[in-house]
Amino acid sequence: MTKTEASECYNIPVEVLDEYESWGLCGEVIKVMGAWQYDDRDIERLSMIMTLHDIGFSNKEIETYMRLMLEGDSTEQERLRMLSDKRSDTLDEIHFRERQLDRLDYLRFKMKKKGRPEKHSQKT
């Protein structure tokens, strides 16, 4: 499968494929008649790259993770640590955003309450 075919078929931006090739991780990719050819293992790796990107890994983190993955099972603990660190960072971000929402809701509540006329109870 050519770079263009892989990009179109799997909805992977050509820039991602270029980056993948620049990392030298595509040992199975061969030059055939001037076009790169991707096999199923390359597509699996590209899928992993897209997943890592989607969960917030930087390009450098993705490259590190992919190099470790290609080294094999002996790097599983390091890759698990990377995933755990990203999970922890994501939870921290979620908690920060929840606090922001709480503050926003409080300000909205105060403004809405301020705009309402107070109800006075009449005692007779």
Side-chain angles (χ1 to χ4, degrees):
M1 180 178 301
T2 67
K3 183 188 300 188
T4 302
E5 291 168 338
S7 174
E8 290 172 0
C9 185
Y10 296 99
N11 198 29
I12 300 170
V14 172
E15 297 79 25
V16 172
L17 298 175
D18 290 339
E19 182 112 12
Y20 176 64
E21 290 174 6
S22 76
W23 293 340
L25 299 176
C26 40
E28 304 303 317
V29 177
I30 56 174
K31 197 111 172 170
V32 177
M33 297 180 359
W36 287 98
Q37 295 294 311
Y38 290 84
D39 66 12
D40 290 341
R41 289 190 336 188
D42 291 310
I43 299 303
E44 287 175 21
R45 290 182 195 127
L46 288 167
S47 176
M48 175 61 76
I49 288 169
M50 296 301 291
T51 297
L52 294 170
H53 179 269
D54 288 347
I55 62 174
F57 273 57
S58 68
N59 285 350
K60 180 151 181 54
E61 290 170 322
I62 293 170
E63 182 179 4
T64 299
Y65 187 95
M66 294 305 294
R67 288 190 185 284
L68 289 168
M69 190 175 89
L70 289 174
E71 287 179 30
D73 291 343
S74 64
T75 65
E76 193 171 274
Q77 285 301 100
E78 179 64 15
R79 288 181 284 138
L80 185 58
R81 184 200 57 76
M82 290 179 75
L83 293 171
S84 295
D85 288 349
K86 185 57 67 179
R87 184 178 192 283
S88 179
D89 292 346
T90 301
L91 283 172
D92 288 346
E93 178 68 20
I94 288 169
H95 295 142
F96 174 76
R97 295 291 185 193
E98 286 174 336
R99 288 189 303 275
Q100 281 184 318
L101 281 172
D102 287 344
R103 290 178 186 137
L104 281 166
D105 288 344
Y106 175 73
L107 292 174
R108 290 176 64 222
F109 171 77
K110 281 184 67 171
M111 288 180 78
K112 286 179 180 180
K113 185 177 176 184
K114 183 179 176 182
R116 292 186 201 145
E118 290 186 32
K119 295 183 180 179
H120 298 285
S121 61
Q122 292 182 344
K123 293 185 183 179
T124 47

